[in-house]
Amino acid sequence: MPANPTFLDRLKNGSPALAAWCGLPDPAISALLAREAFDAIVLDLQHGAIDFTPAMNAVPLIAAAGKPAVVRISVGDFAAASRCLDAGASGVIAPMINTLEDARRFASFMKFPPLGERSWGPHGALTVSGLQGGDYFKAANGLSVAFAMVETREALGLVDDILAIPGIDGIFIGPSDLSIALSQGRHMDPTSREVEEALDHALSRARAAGKIAAVYAASGERAAELVRRGFHLVSIASDVSLIRTGAQMALKAARA
Ligand code: 3PY
Ligand code: MG
């Protein structure tokens, strides 16, 4: 690995990365989790209660802890992907990528020409990266990791073609939505047999394409299992569930 590895180098060549998953609206929460031993912090703008401005305020706080910030944008809000990068995010996760057109549009907002069509304005990113404009421009496409979410039957069917798009660095699998899709709306079970098979398939296709395979895990135990299977990046639980689990454990101990 290079002496100053980018987030992409780290994911490709380092040990599997574990990310915290944050949706609570105060940037202090993601800043606090960034000081724990997580390798990255995800800010969830799709389902989290955190809005765009506090999420962008969290990015430099996460960077100050030496950790990459990764933002999950809302469905189809590809223009927000460029703004997250402008603020200094190291990666963006785009949910519900169901067509090649979705994937191409997402990639185009993530990468500067000639790869994509990102426009210039990296105000926070210059501070976070410590680079001057011209140097940032040269490095930027390698500094911003584009994750296309695979969480529907359509995306699973197109996984090789999504992975083949030059500006897409990897896939991020959403096992809950995938379970709803694969069961045709019959259940939500992120560890169902069909989901497990789909996870193995998508993981092996990403590895064959030389791209990143990332996935959401509801618990530390599930994250350990997914790391063992070979995922490069696994996000764990959420800030909400970490608070609830901590509270339940403390109360259980106090009442024992
Ligand atoms: C899913 O499991 O569907 C996700 O999007 C992960 O949060
Ligand atoms: Mg989902």
Side-chain angles (χ1 to χ4, degrees):
M1 228 183 337
N4 261 330
T6 62
F7 183 41
L8 191 57
D9 293 329
R10 160 77 181 79
L11 292 174
K12 280 199 167 154
N13 307 315
S15 54
L18 295 173
W21 187 273
C22 300
L24 289 172
D26 193 326
I29 294 167
S30 41
L32 183 145
L33 287 171
R35 297 280 163 181
E36 297 299 327
F38 290 106
D39 303 299
I41 305 291
V42 179
L43 300 160
D44 182 16
L45 296 181
Q46 183 194 11
H47 290 298
I50 187 162
D51 286 329
F52 189 77
T53 303
M56 295 310 98
N57 290 340
V59 169
L61 301 178
I62 295 166
K67 304 290 169 69
V70 180
V71 184
R72 177 162 79 169
I73 54 176
S74 304
V75 177
D77 191 9
F78 301 130
S82 302
R83 294 184 71 197
C84 295
L85 300 179
D86 290 344
S90 300
V92 177
I93 304 169
M96 293 284 175
I97 293 290
N98 293 332
T99 64
L100 290 182
E101 182 51 22
D102 285 344
R104 282 196 203 100
R105 269 179 56 72
F106 170 50
S108 79
F109 280 97
M110 289 292 291
K111 307 290 178 179
F112 284 115
L115 204 48
E117 295 167 37
R118 181 178 166 196
S119 97
W120 182 254
H123 308 288
L126 296 184
T127 323
V128 165
S129 66
L131 296 172
Q132 298 298 323
D135 291 334
Y136 175 78
F137 177 72
K138 280 193 209 128
N141 286 351
L143 295 177
S144 49
V145 185
F147 295 98
M149 281 199 84
V150 170
E151 48 184 352
T152 59
R153 249 174 215 282
E154 291 82 352
L156 203 56
L158 287 170
V159 70
D160 285 321
D161 298 319
I162 293 173
L163 284 160
I165 295 173
I168 297 291
D169 299 297
I171 50 172
F172 197 110
I173 305 173
S176 299
D177 277 314
L178 199 51
S179 76
I180 295 172
L182 295 181
S183 70
Q184 275 153 348
R186 278 194 300 278
H187 58 234
M188 200 298 293
D189 174 5
T191 57
S192 68
R193 188 182 47 79
E194 306 129 303
V195 172
E196 296 291 20
E197 285 170 9
L199 289 183
D200 286 337
H201 173 69
L203 169 63
S204 76
R205 298 321 299 153
R207 286 201 164 268
K211 296 213 169 165
I212 303 299
V215 64
Y216 179 89
S219 67
E221 291 74 14
R222 175 72 173 156
E225 200 182 309
L226 293 167
V227 160
R228 276 195 296 274
R229 269 156 74 176
F231 282 92
H232 301 90
L233 171 68
V234 182
S235 70
I236 308 177
S238 67
D239 46 7
V240 172
S241 67
L242 291 173
I243 291 171
R244 291 193 65 195
T245 309
Q248 286 159 9
M249 280 170 58
L251 283 167
K252 193 168 167 207
R255 294 210 164 108

